Amino acid sequence: MRTEPVRVASLTPALDLPRTSEREELTTLISMKSSAFPYFGNNPRTEEPFLNISKGERKGRRSYNGRVYWQDETYNDSRVLVHVPEAFDVRKPGVIVVFFHGNGATLERDVRDRQLVPQQISDSGVNAVLLAPQLAVNAADSSAGKFWQPGGFKRFIDESASHLARLYGDPKSAQAFANLPIVIVGYSGGFMPAAWSLEVGGIQNRVRGVFLLDAVYGELDKFATWIEKNRAGFFVSAYTRHTARYDQELMEMLRGKGIAVTESLEGPLRPGSVVFVQTPDGVTHRDYVTQAWTEHPLKDLLIKMAATPALTRIAGAPYAAR
């Protein structure tokens, strides 16, 4: 049993819900209708069908680099990696961490076992749960699927409430999960669903922080707009030389809007913090989720968020009464 105290993610009063008896840590895969795929709509960047080739009855997509990915192999996995730490307490203020993985990934092999995302959340001691949707399966593709759609992110978050409550062991807690604030984390190719979720997701009032891990490859206007309109939240982008020019461009965009930018995570993470951290050349893109400016950067950032008094007051919203 983990005995460390839980760091609450807010000082706001929570619902007084009954606590279930002894609960084990739960990490599982759940199929969700509102997850990124399957997706049969258009690519909003081209206004053309996302699935743009066929072979008999089989449909697929020819990507920008000419590679063909088939729908039944690459864009047909609706599962979401859901993690509820053993110490999570729905009676206390908390957060939902939504993790958008990078290219060439699967939830089990990469997000869970190699990048240790569920473990980092548990080890942080922060009162947080995880949702990590499967994007393109094991493919060099950043497509956002249903997260391209207006309200797509909201539908995903809304659907997750009952699943989280069931895993937690108390179906009555769905109301609490339906009101938890959200931190969006995007790694590498995860920038695409992260950016579109911020722009058209329909749930901006609950997104209290954005954390990008070597992930600013484009959609700069969407990130800049969210930062400009959400001065009570935080934005952190850690990057290597691979994305440096895009991060520098985004910094200049923000400074042009009169938004202060910090290039160090040494100080406290405050409301309105906009932080860019360049990591040295020895840090590799592939290992960035476990080794960036520090070991286990997601764990480190969650601790910084929860330990800062000014941020903890705005990191959670009051739970709606049942």
Side-chain angles (χ1 to χ4, degrees), residues 1-4 6 19-29 81-89 112 116-130 164 166-169:
M1 295 283 290
R2 190 174 276 102
T3 58
E4 301 94 323
V6 175
R19 177 61 194 253
T20 55
S21 56
E22 287 296 309
R23 221 178 29 82
E24 294 183 356
E25 187 162 278
L26 290 171
T27 306
T28 190
L29 292 161
L81 181 67
V82 183
H83 176 67
V84 180
E86 178 184 1
F88 181 81
D89 190 342
R112 185 190 64 194
L116 306 176
V117 173
Q119 180 182 318
Q120 289 193 54
I121 289 175
S122 289
D123 290 349
S124 75
V126 172
N127 204 42
V129 296
L130 169 70
L164 288 166
R166 181 168 50 81
L167 282 179
Y168 181 71

Side-chain angles (χ1 to χ4, degrees), residues 4-314:
E4 301 94 323
V6 175
R7 298 181 177 88
V8 299
S10 169
L11 302 182
T12 311
L15 276 178
D16 185 18
L17 292 173
R19 177 61 194 253
T20 55
S21 56
E22 287 296 309
R23 221 178 29 82
E24 294 183 356
E25 187 162 278
L26 290 171
T27 306
T28 190
L29 292 161
I30 296 175
S31 179
M32 287 176 55
K33 292 180 180 178
S34 57
S35 193
F37 296 103
Y39 177 67
F40 300 100
N42 287 348
N43 182 339
R45 302 176 73 187
T46 63
E47 293 302 327
E48 296 177 353
F50 173 68
L51 299 175
N52 55 18
I53 65 169
S54 61
K55 184 177 182 180
E57 295 185 357
R58 199 180 192 197
K59 293 185 179 296
R61 174 174 181 263
R62 188 180 300 278
S63 65
Y64 298 114
N65 62 12
R67 177 80 179 269
V68 172
Y69 294 112
W70 296 105
Q71 190 273 334
D72 57 359
E73 294 176 344
T74 308
Y75 309 113
N76 200 39
D77 193 340
S78 63
R79 294 178 304 165
V80 179
L81 181 67
V82 183
H83 176 67
V84 180
E86 178 184 1
F88 181 81
D89 190 342
V90 79
R91 299 171 301 175
K92 298 177 181 178
V95 295
I96 296 173
V97 175
V98 178
F99 182 84
F100 292 120
H101 67 72
N103 291 356
T106 69
L107 295 176
E108 303 99 318
R109 183 191 66 207
D110 299 287
V111 178
R112 185 190 64 194
D113 298 342
R114 181 171 64 84
Q115 297 168 337
L116 306 176
V117 173
Q119 180 182 318
Q120 289 193 54
I121 289 175
S122 289
D123 290 349
S124 75
V126 172
N127 204 42
V129 296
L130 169 70
L131 299 171
Q134 177 70 58
L135 303 173
V137 176
N138 206 30
D141 189 338
S142 303
S143 297
K146 293 190 187 83
F147 297 115
W148 271 323
Q149 298 175 323
F153 187 64
K154 182 180 188 300
R155 288 188 287 274
F156 174 76
I157 292 296
D158 288 348
E159 184 183 350
S160 74
S162 60
H163 293 297
L164 288 166
R166 181 168 50 81
L167 282 179
Y168 181 71
D170 181 6
K172 295 179 182 179
S173 67
Q175 182 71 41
F177 284 110
N179 288 278
L180 285 181
I182 298 159
V183 173
I184 291 178
V185 181
Y187 163 63
S188 189
F191 81 94
M192 185 75 75
W196 282 85
S197 294
L198 294 173
E199 179 81 1
V200 302
I203 201 168
Q204 283 194 355
N205 62 319
R206 283 176 63 190
V207 178
R208 305 304 169 87
V210 176
F211 178 32
L212 301 180
L213 287 156
D214 214 22
V216 181
Y217 284 95
E219 308 293 355
L220 306 189
D221 57 329
K222 293 179 175 57
F223 292 120
T225 298
W226 183 86
I227 293 166
E228 185 177 20
K229 292 181 177 179
N230 293 270
R231 303 307 301 129
F234 67 86
F235 178 90
V236 175
S237 177
Y239 63 97
T240 66
R241 59 184 176 83
H242 297 289
T243 57
R245 70 183 182 95
Y246 298 108
D247 280 88
Q248 294 290 337
E249 184 179 347
L250 181 54
M251 277 188 264
E252 290 307 309
M253 289 174 64
L254 295 171
R255 288 175 174 136
K257 295 174 180 289
I259 297 172
V261 172
T262 303
E263 296 188 61
S264 170
L265 260 176
E266 293 301 318
L269 192 61
R270 301 181 185 279
S273 290
V274 179
V275 184
F276 289 80
V277 182
Q278 184 167 14
T279 46
D281 286 346
V283 177
T284 65
H285 178 77
R286 185 180 186 277
D287 296 331
Y288 213 73
V289 180
T290 53
Q291 185 65 57
W293 70 88
T294 186
E295 187 178 24
H296 297 167
L298 176 55
K299 169 188 171 182
D300 186 68
L301 190 88
L302 288 173
I303 291 172
K304 283 179 165 61
M305 179 194 74
T308 306
L311 251 187
T312 55
R313 281 194 291 273
I314 63 91

